[in-house]
Amino acid sequence: TARAELHYFTDSAAIPGGYAILSHTWTQVSAGEQTFQDVQEMNRECKSSGKNPRDYVGEKIRRCCEIAENDGYGWIWIDSCCIDKTSSTELSEAINSMFNWYALAEVCYVYLDDVLHIDNPHVESSSFRHARWHSRGWTLQELLAPVFAVFFSKEWKNIGTKYDLRVPLSKCTGINVEYLTREWDFRVHPSIARRMSWAARRKTTRVEDEAYCLLGLFDISMPTLYGEGQHAFQRLQAELAKQSTDATLFTWGACHYSIDDGREQTPLNMIHTQSHHPEQPYLFLFSPSPSMFNGWSNAYPSAQILTKSQPDEKVCVPRLTIRHFYLNKCSRVIYLDKATMRSLHLRPPRME
């Protein structure tokens, strides 16, 4: 942090005094973020001239280094310049390890470049609650993984810690306060569908990152293959199905309410024809995107799902009767009969 020089450590435990870490949204200006190669080249130039490279890096890197140094940390990790993205092997390793890097950091600095220091996060209309940081896929794990996080405004003024801001953070992310404060274990207690719903409204630049940014949240490791498109999210769900008996993995799609009872159901032969249409050749049990779990954000108590892996957890799903529990794909509805419900360890709702 004193010189903004890059150094390789084989393990986080080998970093003397621990390390700080940055969470941010990448700048949208044409100049972009400084990369691993940019900082490496700057280090070489300053080494030959005897200058301190920290004086010549971009403001974001420089301010992070200064704050970390003032807090007593000799090292800080910043994703934009500490990963060599030209190496597919290093990038894949970084993506699979990133959750742990945030979890093991002594402190996480969260930089919000669209929030002023005079803003009041506890006001519903505040710029804090509408910050771009809350809408990005990668920042979900960066919110949950660190034990201690400090938020900074555009001017690099301290806004508050994650604990101080737990209520407004819960309001704008839909994540229970208890998960933010680690009173509840967010990798054990919430169902798969509930955790998927936390990412449902978040966006990523690359479609593959919809899956890759969730690896740590589900404690999954798998190779990254940029160019595979939505297949990445299919692979993630396949891994979850192998490792968990949580049936909420299949409860994606729009919710069916009592107002829908009178609507005519699509004949099975039509569903079969549509599912084999050349433009939509496959009908999967898995969801095409985390956004399809958005209905869980608004689910309220009614039916309860109990899984073998989580026998004490009760998960809320939309009601009213057994036939209302369904799987949805491309606006087509498949109803589950009682036998299927029992095989998935589903408990039908108690009728009022």
Side-chain angles (χ1 to χ4, degrees):
T1 56
R3 295 182 56 82
E5 293 176 332
L6 295 171
H7 185 83
Y8 176 76
F9 291 96
T10 57
D11 186 78
S12 58
I15 304 175
Y19 63 97
I21 199 166
L22 174 68
S23 174
H24 65 120
T25 55
W26 286 36
T27 181
Q28 295 179 295
V29 299
S30 57
E33 301 282 344
Q34 287 182 309
T35 65
F36 175 85
Q37 286 72 27
D38 294 333
V39 175
Q40 199 173 42
E41 177 62 28
M42 199 168 296
N43 284 175
R44 283 194 290 264
E45 292 177 358
C46 289
K47 186 175 182 179
S48 60
S49 63
K51 298 177 181 179
N52 186 343
R54 193 176 79 174
D55 298 331
Y56 297 92
V57 294
E59 182 185 14
K60 185 184 291 187
I61 298 176
R62 177 174 56 81
R63 293 301 296 270
C64 282
C65 288
E66 291 172 349
I67 292 172
E69 184 183 29
N70 290 336
D71 288 344
Y73 300 106
W75 303 95
I76 186 169
W77 188 87
I78 303 173
D79 60 349
S80 56
C81 65
C82 291
I83 303 175
D84 182 2
K85 298 179 179 63
T86 63
S87 168
S88 58
T89 301
E90 181 172 336
L91 180 59
S92 182
E93 180 184 355
I95 288 174
N96 279 276
S97 305
M98 201 173 297
F99 185 94
N100 289 331
W101 291 348
Y102 277 92
L104 295 172
E106 298 293 323
V107 60
C108 176
Y109 300 130
V110 181
Y111 178 57
L112 307 178
D113 62 1
D114 52 357
V115 177
L116 300 177
H117 74 281
I118 59 173
D119 185 68
N120 182 359
H122 297 278
V123 176
E124 187 173 351
S125 59
S126 66
S127 57
F128 175 87
R129 297 202 186 188
H130 296 87
R132 183 169 173 262
W133 187 83
H134 300 305
S135 67
R136 306 304 296 171
W138 286 105
T139 56
L140 175 58
Q141 66 175 3
E142 295 165 17
L143 168 66
L144 291 167
V147 176
F148 181 64
V150 183
F151 288 76
F152 289 88
S153 67
K154 181 178 182 179
E155 306 91 344
W156 290 96
K157 300 292 184 181
N158 188 324
I159 300 175
T161 66
K162 181 165 68 170
Y163 184 83
D164 297 333
L165 302 169
R166 61 192 184 281
V167 174
L169 282 171
S170 177
K171 294 286 187 181
C172 60
T173 63
I175 303 173
N176 298 64
V177 168
E178 291 81 3
Y179 293 127
L180 297 176
T181 59
R182 294 196 169 213
E183 294 175 55
W184 297 346
D185 190 336
F186 56 81
R187 291 214 289 190
V188 175
H189 295 298
S191 65
I192 289 177
R194 178 65 68 185
R195 279 175 283 174
M196 287 289 189
S197 74
W198 296 344
R201 299 181 184 180
R202 293 173 178 262
K203 304 297 181 184
T204 58
T205 303
R206 300 288 297 270
V207 65
E208 296 87 352
D209 286 335
E210 289 184 344
Y212 302 158
C213 72
L214 297 177
L215 295 181
L217 187 61
F218 291 105
D219 199 16
I220 296 289
S221 294
M222 67 182 200
T224 58
L225 304 168
Y226 282 101
E228 65 175 327
Q230 289 185 330
H231 185 61
F233 192 57
Q234 302 291 322
R235 288 198 296 128
L236 172 61
Q237 293 172 92
E239 289 298 320
L240 286 170
K242 292 176 185 177
Q243 300 183 24
S244 173
T245 57
D246 184 350
T248 65
L249 172 63
F250 311 114
T251 58
W252 53 274
C255 299
H256 185 97
Y257 297 103
S258 57
I259 192 174
D260 300 314
D261 285 351
R263 296 179 181 175
E264 183 179 355
Q265 295 188 28
T266 305
L268 291 178
N269 61 340
M270 185 177 294
I271 293 177
H272 180 272
T273 302
Q274 291 175 342
S275 65
H276 288 78
H277 191 278
E279 295 181 1
Q280 182 61 46
Y282 303 110
L283 182 64
F284 293 108
L285 184 62
F286 295 139
S287 166
S289 167
S291 63
M292 298 303 291
F293 286 90
N294 191 43
W296 276 82
S297 301
N298 303 314
Y300 51 89
S302 52
Q304 296 176 347
I305 296 179
L306 304 183
T307 68
K308 287 183 177 179
S309 60
Q310 300 161 301
D312 297 324
E313 184 192 8
K314 296 181 178 180
V315 183
C316 300
V317 297
R319 54 180 175 182
L320 285 172
T321 64
I322 291 177
R323 70 176 186 278
H324 294 158
F325 190 93
Y326 66 92
L327 304 176
N328 177 292
K329 170 67 176 171
C330 298
S331 300
R332 291 186 291 277
V333 176
I334 303 174
Y335 290 92
L336 303 183
D337 57 24
K338 291 183 179 180
T340 307
M341 294 277 285
R342 284 194 295 270
S343 69
L344 292 175
H345 308 288
L346 303 179
R347 177 183 296 177
R350 180 176 298 175
M351 301 307 295
E352 299 175 355

